[in-house]
Amino acid sequence: MKILFYGRLAETLGQEMNLAVEAPCSVATLRQRLVEVEPSAADALASGRVRACIRDTIVPESYLIAPHDEVEFFPPVSGG
Amino acid sequence: MGNVRLELEPFDPAAELGELTRSAAGAGGIVSFVGIARPEGKTGAPVERLFLQHHPRLTIASMREIAGQAASRFGVEVRVVHRCGDIAPGEPIVFAGAAAPHRRAAFEAADYLMDRLKTEAVFWKREDAASGSTWIEPTQTDYADRRRWE
């Protein structure tokens, strides 16, 4: 599964990661898997303010990710 | 939509105001806001550069959504230009302009545009200083300002 990270998340997890995950898996489960892979990202990923995005739509923690979905994780956004 | 743009290079806010003025012929008033990269961070330390990361699709989509809502909510013509990438202190980050038949709608639309761009435009903002880099997120005040429009 291809996973993309933005902002400060990319500093600990890299901009892109390919992770073997048994699909379908929920967003919450994917977060746990990511923490197993990169324990130093636990705090950053656990934040309720980091949202998951699939096919350009923000999805809830219970969302079941399909095998070929690309998942993006967004820290809080800020323009201006 | 030429009136909503993402810019990789420095832009000229005066030219943007000029375009909006020409485009909104017949308007009774125009309000514009220009956000500029500060030379100092919150601690007072000099900032070497601001870096605005954008998303390949969602950044411009978020800008268009916010601009469209401002236009319909206040009955104004809007122009929004936002930088991304590396921004030097003193360079414009954002231009938000609103042209309306009467001033109140233009003031409110510009205010609304900036409150939403600050908290909802899809950018990730980092300040780079000699002492290190800091990712900047909206403050509680920014979120409270956004809620005024709900």
Side-chain angles (χ1 to χ4, degrees), chain B residues 29-52:
Chain B
I30 295 177
V31 169
S32 69
F33 174 86
V34 180
I36 297 166
R38 292 189 189 90
E40 293 179 350
K42 281 197 178 119
T43 61
V47 173
E48 292 177 347
R49 67 168 189 174
L50 193 63
F51 171 66
L52 256 69

Side-chain angles (χ1 to χ4, degrees), chain A residues 5-11 15 49 53 55-58 70 72-80, chain B residues 53 55-58 82 93-94 114 117-126 135-138 143:
Chain A
F5 302 99
Y6 291 83
R8 61 182 162 79
L9 280 179
E11 289 187 351
Q15 292 193 342
R49 300 172 70 206
C53 181
R55 291 188 293 273
D56 292 351
T57 303
I58 299 295
E70 189 175 284
E72 300 179 290
F73 281 99
F74 294 169
V77 298
S78 179
Chain B
Q53 184 184 21
H55 185 279
R57 299 171 302 278
L58 294 179
H82 209 299
I93 305 170
V94 60
M114 285 313 304
L117 287 167
K118 282 296 255 189
T119 53
E120 294 175 75
V122 178
F123 291 95
W124 296 275
K125 193 187 291 178
R126 189 187 69 213
W135 289 93
I136 309 292
E137 294 180 0
Y143 287 122

Side-chain angles (χ1 to χ4, degrees), chain B residues 41-149:
Chain B
K42 281 197 178 119
T43 61
V47 173
E48 292 177 347
R49 67 168 189 174
L50 193 63
F51 171 66
L52 256 69
Q53 184 184 21
H54 73 286
H55 185 279
R57 299 171 302 278
L58 294 179
T59 300
I60 189 69
S62 66
M63 290 167 60
R64 285 179 178 146
E65 192 272 334
I66 292 165
Q69 288 291 324
S72 60
R73 177 169 178 159
F74 299 99
V76 298
E77 179 171 339
V78 302
R79 189 173 188 87
V80 175
V81 181
H82 209 299
R83 274 290 299 282
C84 61
D86 290 336
I87 304 171
E91 285 181 357
I93 305 170
V94 60
F95 172 92
H102 301 282
R103 73 177 186 282
R104 185 70 59 209
F107 275 114
E108 289 189 340
D111 203 12
Y112 171 93
L113 281 169
M114 285 313 304
D115 284 346
R116 289 204 57 200
L117 287 167
K118 282 296 255 189
T119 53
E120 294 175 75
V122 178
F123 291 95
W124 296 275
K125 193 187 291 178
R126 189 187 69 213
E127 269 180 8
D128 294 340
S131 54
S133 296
T134 312
W135 289 93
I136 309 292
E137 294 180 0
T139 64
Q140 290 307 311
T141 305
D142 292 331
Y143 287 122
D145 286 343
R146 166 66 187 94
R147 287 194 295 272
R148 293 184 301 146
W149 305 102

Side-chain angles (χ1 to χ4, degrees), chain A residues 30-54:
Chain A
L30 175 60
R31 278 191 210 248
Q32 290 168 6
R33 284 280 293 123
L34 287 167
V35 172
E36 288 166 19
V37 171
E38 188 54 67
S40 66
D43 284 350
L45 275 168
S47 159
R49 300 172 70 206
V50 171
R51 297 177 296 171
C53 181
I54 295 175

